[in-house]
Amino acid sequence: MTIANGLRRVCALGLVSFAGFLAACSSNPFEEQPVPACPRAFLPNDTARLVQFSGQGKDLTDVILEAEFGGYLGDCGYDLDDKILNVVISPVINAELGPAAQWRNAKLQYFVALKDPSGEFIQKNLFDVQMAFPSNLNLARYRDEQVTLNVPLDDVWAGPDYEIYLGFQLSADQLDYNRRFGKN
């Protein structure tokens, strides 16, 4: 037997032994483990729109700003070892200055909230948005940076049973206006 043949034989035995070691393990560390699905996201009609009026007026000529969600991009991931659900969401907001607007910028606020499987809201975060309108346009689109929610879970497989809600942070009058005159 030459040295080269001997080395090949030792290497082959090493590979067989390594394969036997892997077969003896309860799970294959190289195999992808299944992960739970992402929670569903909702954009309720009554909080998906914001209308700001000047003073006490509610006429079309009193509108300072109208804004609505144009959608959102989102994803999630699970830390299976630490049992944490990580939700990443990036909302898109479309806005238009109204006839009563006196400035070329607007400040508004939106929320991202998380509801657990029992139907209880367990987390709500507010985010400020500063929108600047070009001097020649009354329309603007804003895509916020990614917002991240980290949620510890007792069981990661319950993650899909959670729900994510997005909407504008509205006053009681604005919410009432949306419910009376909003789109269904």
Side-chain angles (χ1 to χ4, degrees):
M1 174 188 308
T2 65
I3 295 176
N5 284 343
L7 284 175
R8 280 189 207 109
R9 192 170 173 187
V10 168
C11 288
L13 285 174
L15 288 175
V16 168
S17 297
F18 184 68
F21 171 75
L22 286 179
C25 293
S26 60
S27 67
N28 184 346
F30 302 111
E31 184 179 308
E32 269 189 50
Q33 294 185 2
V35 292
C38 290
R40 292 176 296 158
F42 297 93
L43 190 55
N45 285 337
D46 56 355
T47 60
R49 182 172 175 234
L50 166 71
V51 181
Q52 291 177 347
F53 292 99
S54 68
Q56 297 300 315
K58 296 286 189 248
D59 188 86
L60 288 177
T61 61
D62 298 318
V63 173
I64 297 172
L65 175 78
E66 285 189 70
E68 64 184 10
F69 280 88
Y72 55 87
L73 303 172
D75 201 1
C76 82
Y78 289 87
D79 181 333
L80 298 177
D81 295 330
D82 293 333
K83 296 182 179 178
I84 295 176
L85 164 64
N86 300 302
V87 176
V88 177
I89 199 154
S90 181
V92 177
I93 298 171
N94 299 318
E96 182 177 5
L97 292 175
Q102 297 178 0
W103 299 277
R104 305 295 305 162
N105 53 40
K107 181 180 176 184
L108 44 105
Q109 202 172 49
Y110 73 90
F111 66 84
V112 177
L114 190 69
K115 188 187 275 190
D116 70 11
S118 70
E120 198 171 316
F121 281 99
I122 59 168
Q123 193 176 67
K124 180 181 178 182
N125 298 324
L126 298 175
F127 302 94
D128 293 323
V129 173
Q130 296 282 346
M131 295 187 78
F133 293 80
S135 60
N136 61 341
L137 290 174
N138 285 344
L139 300 172
R141 174 174 270 186
Y142 178 85
R143 179 173 167 212
D144 205 357
E145 296 177 14
Q146 293 181 340
V147 173
T148 304
L149 303 175
N150 300 309
V151 185
L153 302 173
D154 291 332
D155 177 14
V156 293
W157 292 100
D161 298 330
Y162 283 73
E163 296 176 342
I164 303 162
Y165 287 83
L166 293 113
F168 288 109
Q169 185 66 27
L170 304 173
S171 69
D173 287 342
Q174 290 169 328
L175 186 58
D176 181 55
Y177 179 85
N178 282 357
R179 288 178 175 162
R180 290 188 335 184
F181 302 109
K183 301 171 188 173
N184 289 329

